[in-house]
Amino acid sequence: DGPIDNDSVKSKNLAARLFIALTVIIFAVELAIMVLLGSVLSNLSILSVSLLDSVMLAGLLFPVLYILVFRPLSESLKERESAQESLEEALASVETQVRERTAELELTNKQLETQAKERERAKDLSDTLNEINAEISTMVDFDQIAEMVVTKATKKLDCKASAVIMRGEGHWVFSHVFGLPETYVGTQIADKDAPCATETIKSKQVFVGDADDMENRINQGPLAKEGFRSFITVPLIIKGEVIGVIDFYHHTAHSALSETEIDFARKLSAATSMALESARLYGTQRDIADTLQEALLKMPEKMDGVEFSYLYRSATTEPGRAGGDFYDLFELEHSKIGLMIGDVSGKGLEAATLTSLVKNTIRAYAYQHSTPAEIIEMTSSVLLRTPRVSSFVTLFFGILDKSSGDLTYCAAGHPPAILQRPSGETSFLKVGSPVVGAFSEFKFVDLHATVEKGDILVLYTDGVTEAKSDQGFLGEERFRELVADMQGATVGEIPQEIVRVLIDQKEYALFDDVALLALSLVE
């Protein structure tokens, strides 16, 4: 029936009560009239009596109407009013429950939104960490690693600035900054002015500080004028020792970083520390490799009766990567010289170590007046008996008599040397021996050639002939033609000219290291 109008119900109840009261009064009046007029009824006419009876009968109908109509109506209205009050109470209860449920849903929605934002933030930070990891894992330079980390991490943590501060002897030194003046780089901080960084030496944990910490700790040092209000200190740990920290600074206070951001800082600490440790190890290996490479390629400044030049070019730009290509030139007795060029399979420290072994072994045996084939055969036996050596060596070793020009040599699996005559004729020297350190049943043989004064002997490794262009590999024959085209070039110019034509003009790409040695007999 729709909602009940309370004012209308009350008005109807009042009207019913007034009507009942009026009925009772009329009934009482009628009784009084009947008593008062009863004595005179006998004197009235029949018509008057009939009218009077009609009036009395109408008066008697009021109680009947009250009992049959108005009383049930009044009770119905009371019940309806009571039902309306119950309904209102129920509606109020429902409204209360709806408000409570709505508040609960709003709180749940806020929690879900917060969780969704945290998950999104966690994924964003995780993706950034993966990017940083991928980039710094390929870096071998401390400066590159530090710059990459502070640049990306500072932006991702919504910080205003950051600094890499390395540990010194009783102090700290700014090595890299982001969002700060470059004048900070190189600034030293005493331990007392960097208590948070100093604490990480003991705790080795990420430290999160707010305004109080900034006032009491960081602002004691050179950063006091920057007005930072909060910070994160990330330790850099190598072999259990704190070597430095990365500080991230905010201008606003936020005493409670999310656990996601703190976890990001922890993982960043581990990733950066690992990259720095790898860089240090690589740096050590690089220094060793560079030292070995320099020793392996060391040549005499000059030699009586011989004009020579040499060149080494790595196929990679990676620093500290020792190659297996080598050359050597040394004096022997009776106006003779030993000359060699070789290529050890493999790269790195193992190849460099094997190269050193081969060079020194050949030198040692050469002083015993043996032939090149015998010297190489003994060297090969040494390699075959050396534990954990799986590499082999291609080698050209010769003994040249400076007075006569007689050249006795052994080309052990190595590309043929080229002899350029003053007339312009260029030819390959013969080859015919196996590689060194691979087989014990094959024999090495001596071969002979004559190097006249004015001739140029060109020795090279296969990195030259394996240089590749759009037309394919250079190959031995095209390389011989290239040397022939250099007729008139001096001994000192030939190695540089070969590299200029092949590489500097970008006609060919190197896939292996290149070693070149050119020599000529002079008065």
Side-chain angles (χ1 to χ4, degrees):
D1 294 336
I4 298 175
D5 189 344
N6 291 335
D7 293 338
S8 176
V9 172
K10 291 179 180 179
S11 297
K12 291 178 180 179
N13 289 341
L14 180 62
R17 291 188 180 93
L18 291 175
F19 185 76
I20 293 170
L22 181 62
T23 302
V24 173
I25 292 170
I26 293 173
F27 182 72
V29 171
E30 287 181 346
L31 289 178
I33 293 173
M34 290 174 65
V35 172
L36 293 174
L37 297 179
S39 61
V40 296
L41 289 175
S42 58
N43 298 324
L44 295 177
S45 64
I46 295 174
L47 179 60
S48 299
V49 172
S50 299
L51 290 173
L52 184 59
D53 289 340
S54 298
V55 172
M56 293 176 65
L57 180 60
L60 291 174
L61 288 176
F62 281 103
V64 175
L65 290 173
Y66 170 74
I67 294 171
L68 296 178
V69 177
F70 296 112
R71 184 177 178 180
L73 178 61
S74 177
E75 292 176 352
S76 175
L77 290 174
K78 289 180 179 179
E79 291 176 356
R80 192 163 186 179
E81 184 178 356
S82 176
Q84 176 65 21
E85 292 176 354
S86 299
L87 180 59
E88 289 177 353
E89 292 177 357
L91 288 174
S93 176
V94 170
E95 289 177 355
T96 301
Q97 293 178 4
V98 168
R99 285 194 297 271
E100 292 176 351
R101 184 58 179 164
T102 301
E104 291 176 359
L105 290 174
E106 289 178 352
L107 179 60
T108 302
N109 286 335
K110 288 181 180 179
Q111 292 175 343
L112 291 175
E113 289 177 2
T114 301
Q115 292 173 0
K117 289 180 180 179
E118 288 178 354
R119 286 194 296 270
E120 184 177 355
R121 177 65 168 161
K123 183 180 183 304
D124 188 30
L125 291 176
S126 178
D127 291 343
T128 300
L129 187 64
N130 289 336
E131 291 176 7
I132 293 174
N133 258 327
E135 294 197 42
I136 64 178
S137 63
T138 62
M139 295 179 179
V140 294
D141 183 75
F142 171 83
D143 292 334
Q144 289 181 334
I145 294 172
E147 183 178 354
M148 167 62 65
V149 170
V150 297
T151 300
K152 286 202 170 184
T154 304
K155 294 178 180 178
K156 192 54 62 176
L157 287 172
D158 298 325
C159 297
K160 295 300 181 181
S162 61
V164 178
I165 309 175
M166 302 304 294
R167 180 65 176 160
E169 291 294 334
H171 63 272
W172 300 82
V173 182
F174 282 84
S175 67
H176 296 79
V177 295
F178 180 83
L180 291 170
E182 287 294 325
T183 52
Y184 276 104
V185 175
T187 302
Q188 291 189 7
I189 315 172
D191 284 349
K192 64 182 181 61
D193 293 329
C196 296
T198 303
E199 281 184 9
T200 60
I201 296 176
K202 297 179 180 179
S203 67
K204 298 180 176 61
Q205 299 294 326
V206 172
F207 185 88
V208 180
D210 214 320
D212 292 338
D213 294 299
M214 297 300 294
E215 285 292 330
N216 299 330
R217 304 183 182 201
I218 297 299
N219 281 350
Q220 296 173 3
L223 293 174
K225 62 183 179 181
E226 301 296 338
F228 296 122
R229 301 293 296 164
S230 56
F231 67 97
I232 309 172
T233 296
V234 177
L236 301 175
I237 305 171
I238 293 181
K239 294 182 179 179
E241 297 295 330
V242 175
I243 65 165
V245 297
I246 305 177
D247 278 348
F248 297 96
Y249 308 109
H250 281 271
H251 281 304
T252 57
H254 63 288
S255 57
L257 281 173
S258 71
E259 183 59 34
T260 298
E261 291 172 321
I262 296 175
D263 183 61
F264 171 80
R266 292 195 191 100
K267 292 177 179 177
L268 181 68
S269 170
T272 307
S273 298
M274 186 178 299
L276 291 177
E277 183 173 10
S278 297
R280 282 194 171 189
L281 290 173
Y282 179 83
T284 301
Q285 292 182 344
R286 179 182 59 195
D287 292 341
I288 295 173
D290 289 344
T291 302
L292 278 173
Q293 190 80 72
E294 183 179 353
L296 295 175
L297 298 176
K298 189 174 183 179
M299 295 282 280
E301 294 184 4
K302 62 181 181 177
M303 186 174 290
D304 291 340
V306 178
E307 184 181 357
F308 62 93
S309 64
Y310 49 88
L311 184 147
Y312 173 84
R313 177 66 66 91
S314 175
T316 176
T317 58
E318 180 182 347
R321 180 176 173 268
D325 290 29
F326 63 95
Y327 38 65
D328 197 9
L329 193 64
F330 54 94
E331 293 271 10
L332 294 171
E333 294 179 343
H334 309 299
S335 189
K336 294 181 180 180
I337 62 172
L339 56 112
M340 77 174 89
I341 191 166
D343 185 3
V344 175
S345 62
K347 303 293 180 185
L349 292 179
E350 182 180 352
T353 302
L354 185 58
T355 299
S356 177
L357 175 62
V358 171
K359 282 188 63 174
N360 292 329
T361 302
I362 288 178
R363 273 191 173 229
Y365 286 132
Y367 291 117
Q368 297 179 359
H369 310 290
S370 301
T371 68
E374 292 172 339
I375 293 171
I376 290 180
E377 185 173 352
M378 289 185 288
T379 302
S380 183
S381 298
V382 171
L383 295 185
L384 289 170
R385 292 195 301 267
T386 301
R388 297 185 299 276
V389 172
S390 58
S391 300
F392 59 88
V393 184
T394 67
L395 178 66
F396 177 99
F397 174 61
I399 297 176
L400 176 63
D401 190 330
K402 292 188 291 183
S403 60
S404 66
D406 291 336
L407 174 65
T408 303
Y409 68 93
C410 179
H414 201 77
I418 296 177
L419 188 61
Q420 183 192 72
R421 306 289 185 181
S423 63
E425 177 189 355
T426 56
S427 59
F428 289 116
L429 299 189
K430 296 179 180 180
V431 296
S433 295
V435 296
V436 181
F439 311 103
S440 59
E441 60 273 16
F442 292 101
K443 296 297 181 181
F444 297 90
V445 297
D446 287 318
L447 298 170
H448 299 275
T450 300
V451 179
E452 303 288 350
K453 287 181 174 60
D455 293 347
I456 297 177
L457 181 65
V458 179
L459 308 177
Y460 57 96
T461 57
D462 60 5
V464 175
T465 55
E466 291 177 0
K468 191 175 182 181
S469 68
D470 295 338
Q471 288 75 38
F473 293 106
L474 176 64
E476 294 175 356
E477 184 56 37
R478 277 200 282 184
F479 178 58
R480 185 194 63 78
E481 294 173 357
L482 175 63
V483 173
D485 291 340
M486 295 179 185
Q487 182 68 29
T490 65
V491 171
E493 294 171 343
I494 285 181
Q496 286 73 19
E497 186 66 14
I498 290 172
V499 170
R500 185 188 67 81
V501 173
L502 292 182
I503 303 169
D504 295 344
Q505 292 183 355
K506 298 183 179 180
E507 294 185 11
Y508 289 85
L510 289 185
F511 291 93
D512 196 4
D513 298 346
V514 167
L516 291 162
L517 174 61
L519 62 87
S520 178
L521 294 177
V522 295
E523 294 295 339

